Amino acid sequence: MSRYALVSGDGDVEAVLSTTSMQMLEDNIPLGAIAIECHDESVMPGRVIWDGQAFVPVLPPPPSLEQLKVQVWDAVRGARDRAEWWGCSTPLGRADSDPDSQRKVAGAVQMAMIAQAAGAPFSIDWTMQDNRSVTHDAIAMITLGVAVGQHVAACHAAALAKRAAIEAATDASTLVDFDSEGGWPDAPTG
């Protein structure tokens, strides 16, 4: 079985088909088209043209400055989320800061504040990012919550600064090498 590209008069690859019968292929070629044998699996309609001697890839046009800004901002948002969720330093060790952990921290901080307001004792064993269980009193739990909140706010502030730089770009070359992954607060070490 041979593979053929049906090429229009202007060189566009209209279809790619496989056949064992040259006669059937020749009988069914649209007017003005030619069949060119192709063994390359990457020859696909709309992806290549026939330049008269070889199949040439059709490259998509480069993105506009506005499209590039959207692509870079999407990359920054993804990096911001990863940075926000990789954890943060607290006085008693590194704490998780993914969305589920933020919710749990907020609940534990509320319990600590309620106990503190009632003058009641508070103690909770909190699993830190390295899986150590660390006992937190009310002040330590509130401090952990503040650290997580400040980390999230710092990540968002860094993202806003990156967004301002993206929006200020006046040419694509500024955005091609834009560092969406670097410059985030409280990066984990090791």
Side-chain angles (χ1 to χ4, degrees):
M1 185 168 293
S2 296
R3 191 167 187 266
Y4 292 88
L6 295 181
V7 179
S8 69
D10 58 2
D12 290 334
V13 174
E14 300 293 332
V16 177
L17 51 99
S18 298
T19 185
T20 56
S21 168
M22 274 306 294
Q23 186 61 50
M24 185 168 42
L25 179 64
E26 290 171 2
D27 290 344
N28 292 294
I29 293 177
L31 189 61
I34 58 171
I36 301 170
E37 191 168 7
C38 62
H39 300 288
D40 185 351
E41 293 294 319
S42 68
V43 174
M44 301 288 282
R47 293 192 187 165
V48 295
I49 59 169
W50 176 254
D51 71 0
Q53 297 180 2
F55 291 103
V56 179
V58 174
L59 300 175
S64 69
L65 181 60
E66 290 308 310
Q67 290 169 325
L68 197 53
K69 286 180 178 184
V70 169
Q71 291 171 1
V72 173
W73 174 239
D74 285 346
V76 167
R77 285 189 341 203
R80 177 206 59 209
D81 290 347
R82 287 187 296 280
E84 178 184 323
W85 302 340
W86 64 32
C88 67
S89 300
T90 74
L92 296 179
R94 196 160 179 84
D96 290 318
S97 60
D98 57 272
D100 194 41
S101 295
Q102 290 179 38
R103 179 184 55 78
K104 291 174 184 175
V105 166
V109 167
Q110 271 188 318
M111 292 183 344
M113 291 174 72
I114 290 168
Q116 204 175 41
F122 178 85
S123 179
I124 188 168
D125 291 332
W126 198 260
T127 303
M128 304 304 285
Q129 196 172 55
D130 63 2
N131 288 322
R132 288 180 306 117
S133 182
V134 177
T135 302
H136 285 64
D137 61 13
I139 292 172
M141 193 67 233
I142 293 167
T143 302
L144 185 146
V146 168
V148 169
Q150 288 174 336
H151 172 71
V152 169
C155 289
H156 284 263
L160 288 175
K162 288 178 183 278
R163 181 157 197 171
I166 292 166
E167 292 302 321
T170 57
D171 60 71
S173 63
T174 306
L175 297 173
V176 169
D177 295 323
F178 194 87
D179 183 12
S180 60
E181 295 296 326
W184 298 103
D186 203 11
T189 57

